[in-house]
Each structure stands twice: as C-alpha cells, then as structure tokens.
Amino acid sequence: MSHPHPELAPPPPVPENGLRIVALGGLGEIGRNMAVFEFEGRLLIVDCGVLFPEPDQPGIDLILPDFDYIRDRLDDVEAVVLTHAHEDHIGAVPYLLRERVDIPLVGSRLTLGLIESKLAEHRIQPVKAEVIEGERRRFGPFECEFFAVNHSIPDALAVAVRTPAGIVLHTGDFKMDQLPMDGRLTDLGGFARLGAEGVDLLMSDSTNAEVPGFVTSEREIAPVIDDVFRTADKRIIVASFASHIHRVQQVMDAAEAHGRKVALIGRSMVRNMGVARDLGYLKIPAGLLVDSREIEEWPPEDVVLICTGSQGEPMAALSRMANRDHPIRIAAGDTVLLASSLVPGNETAVNKVINGLTRWGAKVIHKGNARVHVSGHAAAGELLYVLNLTQPSNFMPVHGEWRHLRAHAQLASLTGVPQENIVIAEDGVVVDLVDGKASIVGAVPCGYVFVDGTSVGDITDVALKDRRILGDEGFISIVIVVDSTTGKLAGGPEITARGSGIDPEAFDAVIPQIEIALQEVAAAGVADIMQIRRTVRRTVGRWVSDTYRRRPMIIPVIVEV
C-alpha cells in the first residue's frame, strides 16, 4: 500500500497525459469532502462540503476546505460536480462561489434545487448544469458519466471521470438498498459495464467499511415509526437531518395514517422540505401541514413536530427545547424520536439533549433503544460487491476517518487489488494516475479554514488555543505602571481575574513576588516593555501553577509614565 508521509515534498509538474487528484477534505475525517482533478492544466472539482466543529473548537460555526491550492487557478476550473445535497458535500459551495461566481455547478435536479435555495441566502445566483443518471457530459478535457446511487437523500449520483489518463469512478456517498423508498436502485449494472471497460482508479465511500454485511433497507423503519405513533399519547417530536427527505416522508405518512397534523420547525427544515415538495420528491397530503405558530392551539395527541437537532447542535430546535429555550415547551408524556444516526464525535452533545428532554418528562426513542434509523452508507459486504463489479486497477478509499480508510483498503486487497496499487492518502496529498498506475507524488498545504460568524479564515489554531484556555482556565490580568526611562515600578500591580476560580484576596501573596522580580529587572538596566511583560507573566504563571496547579491565560498590561 502507498501511505502518506508527514514530510512529503511539493509535487512535481503534472506528467504528460497524467491525471492529478488532490483531496482538499474528506480524507481522515467525516465531512469537508472536496476532490480536485487536474488534466492538461484544467481542473474539475467533485463536491465542496463543510465539516462541523468539535467541542474543542469553541465559537466555530463551520470548517471549510482550504482553497489556497486552487485560489490562483480558479479560471482553470471547468465545473464543480456535486454528487448529492448533504452539507458535507455542498456546504462550502457559497464560499467557493464568492471567489468566482460563475463556476458551473453540476448535479441532479434535487441537488441543484437545494443548493440554489442555500445560495439565495448568500445572494448568489449560480450557473447550473443539471444532469441525470446515464448521461454523459463533457467539461473541458473531462468527460463525466453519471450513475444513480442510493443514499439517505434522493437523487444522489456517482461520477466516472474519463480522460486520456484513464477512467476514475468516484462513488460519492452510496449504499445498495434493494428496496429503496423511491425505487431508485444503485446502478450496479452500470458499475459492471464500467468494470468491463476498465476502471483505472476507484474512489469509494469508506464510512461503513468496518461494518460487516449489508445495510438494512429504509422500508424496515416504517413499522417502527408506525408503532411510535400508535403508542404515543401526546405530542410526537421527530428530530432528523434537514435533508433526510425519505425519513420525513415516512413520518408524514404515519401522521396521516394516525390523524395527526404536522408542523415543520427550523429554517433549514422548512426550506429543504419546501424545495423537495416543489420538485416532487416529497408528497404532502392536502391539509396535513400546519403553521408552527399555530401548533400550540392543537390538542397534543393530534400533532407531530418535525425539527432539526438530532446531532445535539446547540442552536438547533431540539437542543433549545431540551434547555427550555424554545417557544415549544417539552411536557410530560411527549414522545421524542431521534430519527438519525449518530455522527462520530457528537455522542456527548446528543446524550446531553436526551437527558434534558427526559428531565422534562419526555419519552426519548433513539437508535440505542429502537431501530429508528439506517445508515446511508454501504457496509463492508456492499463495498466488496462494488470492488468485485468494477475490478479497479488502482484503489483509493475516500470519505472516512483513518480507521475507515484502512479497513476499506483491506477489503480492496482481499478482492485482488495489488497492495502497491492501493493508495491511502490524506487531505493535501497529491496522487497522480500515470500509465495505469496511481501513486503519491507529493503534498500541498491543506489546513482548516474556520468560519466564525461573518469571519472566514481569520481564526487561527493559536486563537482557538487561546479560546480553549479561556474556557477551561479563565484569565488573569495584571496592570502595572512603570517609569519609561528606568523601568522601575511606579504604580500597581492591580490584579483582576475572571473564570480562574482564584479568590481575589489570594493575589496578595504574589504581589511581593512581582515587585521583587521587577526590581531585579530594573537593577539590570532593562526598560524594554516586552521584557517587563514577560517577567510579570512568568512570575504570576509560576505562582499560579505551584499554588493551584492551573494554567490560566495571563495578560500583563504595562502602562508607561
């Protein structure tokens, strides 16, 4: 297997008739999916998604791919192919189009409908190129063929990219549900035909590579949802991804069958379901929907609320309900259904929401105690099936954390892909396909780009570290007045602390130490403000560490007179 190395050099120029592939996100992580293909100086992008922040990234709203690799070459981009409309595949598109607004967006009808609705909020009118499964479309030197794949959102596509360097099949996110809600099967026949033609490189979804067997069909969820409706005495609140149209359809069907009205809660949920209804992907019976502002007027046993927040997002509707910070008040006897899988890393936040809901008397039904969700990603049995169908000469696992990528690579090895033709890369690693062989040839800078409110890319790792220190340890500020000529103490120190947990009177013990340290600095003839500041920080830091075993942020403020 070909593995990345932390000291990879910058890549050489693209070889003649070679295809270069650089992932700017989605490798070693769940999210931020973005792959850049380069041939003859032209670029094709597949997906452009976001990663959601973890608890140790306070204040961050979204994490984007790093566009620096292509920023000076945006005019070379032929198109952005969007495999489906999940946020981890389309969420960064508005930020890319801010840099070049007329990059064509290629995708299925629903995918383009949802991204257009999102872009409207950014006041961006996109250039769209709608495609359907079975269609071939050329974008510069890239001929793209699209294949239907089944996923947890309708209208998902895989894409085969043809160039003189060979055929690359990028599956996007997929599974092989044999009884899908919309009857749209993954095009295994098309994959087999492509395999017979010769797949030079397979890039395949790795999320469930560690899960044996085959994923359960979406249809098996319907009886469980129906049972929830049959046994619930009061309100039913369903939390789901705002893009999970199939699940919302199942909930609406159950609501109609049990005589309940439905209200959609949350801006993204209302927006996405409106687009899905208008395009014909969501069937809403007449009279079923009611305005969320009217829902309190209905008897509890007659209503269903569908909202966001299944991942414990702090500002989502369900989290706010759990915290009693939402107009809809959870009451004893309510039933809450978390109809989604648990994204890795969100366990603590979700458990906090479940506990909050339970505190107010709600019965919470989730994946841990009922079969209320099935994954949208192929398990190991399905991944083996696709590997055997396509028989790729080279294999590169994508979309997954390190353990998923390695497990998928092992599956490829079992199906006969030579070890030396299996490429495990990470974000920024450069892979060239030349003369039928894929190999790592270097790496380009590829970091996280943080979105904090309206700020994009201004927050650095250093700033995040400061935020973590402030959140965990608090801060101490020391105001000192010094003589600008001699550096001698002329006033203070005055010490203020916030969040450190140290009694203000306790600082009386360190003031003499600060005075002695400053006297020593002044006696040495040092009047440099930076040196004085370092002396104060070091003195107070040592005292806090020795006395309290804490490491708050220490901010000396030196005033010269």
Side-chain angles (χ1 to χ4, degrees), residues 34 47 60 66 73 75 89 116 124 229 257 288 305 320 361 363 454 481 500 554:
M34 183 176 181
D47 290 329
I60 300 303
D66 188 346
R73 302 186 56 194
D75 289 340
H89 292 258
E116 185 175 25
I124 296 174
F229 275 73
L288 183 70
L305 311 179
R320 293 172 57 204
K363 177 183 179 183
T454 59
V481 182
S500 67
I554 298 172

Side-chain angles (χ1 to χ4, degrees), residues 24 33-36 43-50 64-75 77-82 89-105 115 119 122 124 449 451 456:
L24 301 183
N33 297 283
M34 183 176 181
V36 179
L43 305 178
L44 179 76
I45 298 172
V46 176
D47 290 329
C48 187
V50 297
L64 308 179
D66 188 346
F67 299 147
D68 278 353
Y69 173 64
I70 61 171
R71 183 162 278 117
D72 295 334
R73 302 186 56 194
L74 290 174
D75 289 340
V77 178
E78 297 286 352
V80 177
V81 174
L82 302 172
H89 292 258
I90 68 168
V93 170
Y95 301 93
L96 180 63
L97 294 189
R98 285 182 187 180
E99 308 206 19
R100 182 189 151 197
V101 72
D102 63 341
I103 300 176
L105 303 181
I115 189 63
L119 289 171
H122 292 259
I124 296 174
V449 175
V451 178
V456 179

